[in-house]
Amino acid sequence: RGFSGLSYPWGEADRHASWRHSNWGGNQKWGKNLLGEPETLERLQELVRSHRKVRALGCAHSFSPLVTGSSEDVFMLSLRKMPRRFELDAEKGTATVDGGTTYSELCYSLSSTPFAIPMTASLPQFTVAGAVATGTHGSSGLGADGRLKTSGLADAVCAMTIVGPDGEARVVRKGDPGFESSVISLGMVGIVVDVTLELVPAFDVHQRVYGRWPPSHGVREGSLDTTISESLPELLSSCDSFSWFVDFTLDSPGMVLWKTFVPRGGEVDEACDPEWRGMPLQTEPILEFIEGDAFDTTGVGPWHDKLHCWMKDAMPTGPQGTSELQFEHFVPLRHATEALERTRMVAEHWGSSLLYSEIRAVRADDQALSPYTCDAKDGYDCIGISHGLHA
């Protein structure tokens, strides 16, 4: 099944309006840099050959100078006008998309098929090529072997077409020499013009939401430090994916999104305990969690809606209008309790600058630049602690 000239119901509405000039957070600007928007592979190759410093511009989400470089002579390239591509190979269980495709578009295209991608990030408007290049990830629970089940988004990549500095296009496949340095590459190996992903059978997600958002000084449901340190092992061992949102400036356990994967259309026992570790079960939509729409809490839904926080009916509800700055650090999973305690000691001084923190866990992969992979003595897998701050 292949498509060309693809169009989507939301058009470009999931892109931040400032993307031609700055990133979403507004702390990286490229208004004085040249911007190229090639419409063919040949034109892309020509532009790469004729410029000394080239950066690919995805969805303009990154908060680092990774895309802009350190000077105004960097030539910015957007692939959004390149031929759109979505090719599903049902026999091999793969999908190939062009370098400008976002996860919104990929998930929408897959939503009517019996296939899914193994994991998504919280937001769907990232480009596939940009997300895998920068080590973007979702979250995972523990398997029976004591290792986390699911790695980052790059782990699903099995092939890529890359235009190198000489302007030549080459295909690198899983198993080829150098593949482990080509996916999470921070853009250093060239411009990625297409990505092939390994798929899994489509599934549903049973989501249970415990706690409150936003947390409140006036509502006591347990100490933040005590609740996380005592509850995280149980959560990890009984979920397929999770996100734990906290405000480290408050002594409140925040809100847990507890996700269990079930076969598509299979019977699901939707009975839930009315509380977990002192945190109440939430069954009604939350109005103050995602900007511009209500967040559906406890319930069962398709993978593309429940793995993301910003999709409904396979369509994105973003982008978020209010800009913020985000950063994340990774620590070996075996040191999670100590890492969270120390993070709390620092973050509690951020005051009103802190919007939220999110706790997730990611299985290690084989990519050389993977940010969530540690060495054998620390058990390979990592916990990721990310923060959103007022821009």
Side-chain angles (χ1 to χ4, degrees):
R1 179 182 176 190
F3 298 90
S4 60
L6 287 171
S7 62
Y8 297 89
W10 58 90
E12 296 288 305
D14 64 335
R15 291 172 68 80
H16 302 293
S18 65
W19 75 271
R20 290 178 178 273
H21 311 288
S22 72
N23 68 338
W24 170 42
N27 66 314
Q28 300 296 332
K29 303 181 186 298
W30 46 84
K32 295 182 180 180
N33 299 87
L34 296 173
L35 176 63
E37 298 180 89
E39 298 183 14
T40 65
L41 176 60
E42 292 73 22
R43 178 57 178 160
L44 170 63
Q45 293 173 299
E46 179 184 333
L47 289 171
V48 171
R49 290 190 189 102
S50 59
H51 291 85
R52 191 170 71 89
K53 297 180 181 179
V54 179
R55 297 287 190 275
L57 180 62
C59 72
H61 188 274
S62 178
F63 301 92
S64 77
L66 176 67
V67 172
T68 59
S70 57
S71 63
E72 294 179 3
D73 61 344
V74 172
F75 187 76
M76 312 291 288
L77 274 175
S78 171
L79 304 184
R80 289 294 286 183
K81 291 186 177 180
M82 292 281 286
R84 310 313 313 279
R85 184 179 181 191
F86 172 74
E87 294 177 5
L88 178 64
D89 189 324
E91 184 175 341
K92 293 182 179 179
T94 62
T96 300
V97 296
D98 61 272
T101 293
T102 64
Y103 276 93
S104 307
E105 295 165 342
L106 171 62
C107 292
Y108 181 82
S109 297
L110 287 173
S111 65
S112 59
T113 78
F115 295 99
I117 51 176
M119 183 54 63
T120 71
S122 296
L123 302 176
Q125 64 260 31
F126 303 140
T127 61
V128 176
V132 301
T134 52
T136 303
H137 62 91
S139 189
S140 176
L142 285 170
D145 61 353
R147 291 283 309 279
L148 293 170
K149 302 174 186 178
T150 309
S151 187
L153 306 187
D155 197 48
V157 176
C158 58
M160 310 172 78
T161 302
I162 303 171
V163 173
D166 58 0
E168 295 301 312
R170 62 186 178 90
V171 178
V172 58
R173 296 181 175 86
K174 184 176 287 188
D176 290 349
F179 180 83
E180 68 280 357
S181 301
S182 298
V183 184
I184 301 180
S185 67
L186 306 182
M188 294 189 292
V189 297
I191 307 299
V192 176
V193 294
D194 65 48
V195 182
T196 300
L197 303 169
E198 295 174 335
L199 306 176
V200 298
F203 57 94
D204 292 331
V205 176
H206 182 201
Q207 176 173 276
R208 288 167 284 176
V209 177
Y210 288 98
R212 302 179 190 274
W213 200 264
S216 171
H217 280 290
V219 179
R220 289 283 178 173
E221 291 158 353
S223 162
L224 171 59
D225 291 338
T226 302
T227 300
I228 292 180
S229 62
E230 293 181 353
S231 306
L232 191 58
E234 178 188 349
L235 176 63
L236 285 169
S237 63
S238 56
C239 74
D240 291 304
S241 179
F242 77 97
S243 287
W244 197 325
F245 290 90
V246 300
D247 182 341
F248 281 109
T249 67
L250 302 177
D251 192 22
S252 168
M255 182 173 73
V256 177
L257 313 185
W258 183 329
K259 305 180 184 187
T260 305
F261 301 165
V262 295
R264 172 178 279 185
E267 292 188 9
V268 181
D269 181 5
E270 296 191 47
C272 301
D273 292 333
E275 67 173 35
W276 179 68
R277 299 284 181 166
M279 294 185 284
L281 179 72
Q282 297 294 331
T283 58
E284 298 298 322
I286 297 176
L287 300 178
E288 298 181 69
F289 182 58
I290 60 176
E291 184 177 321
D293 204 349
F295 174 69
D296 291 333
T297 54
T298 299
V300 179
W303 63 273
H304 44 75
D305 289 357
K306 290 298 184 182
L307 288 183
H308 290 112
C309 292
W310 290 75
M311 287 195 84
K312 285 186 179 180
D313 302 322
M315 293 193 288
T317 59
Q320 183 174 339
T322 304
S323 61
E324 62 186 60
L325 301 179
Q326 297 175 347
F327 67 97
E328 181 173 26
H329 60 281
F330 297 91
V331 179
L333 184 61
R334 63 191 294 260
H335 298 302
T337 298
E338 180 184 2
L340 289 165
E341 289 173 352
R342 295 194 178 206
T343 300
R344 167 71 179 274
M345 291 170 62
V346 175
E348 65 183 5
H349 297 292
W350 294 342
S352 59
S353 296
L354 181 64
L355 294 168
Y356 63 87
S357 298
E358 183 180 8
I359 303 164
R360 292 174 290 177
V362 197
R363 182 184 174 93
D365 63 21
D366 296 326
Q367 288 293 307
L369 294 181
S370 170
Y372 40 74
T373 298
C374 56
D375 56 25
K377 69 180 179 63
D378 280 322
Y380 299 110
D381 302 339
C382 280
I383 187 169
I385 309 171
S386 58
H387 311 279
L389 303 172
H390 285 289

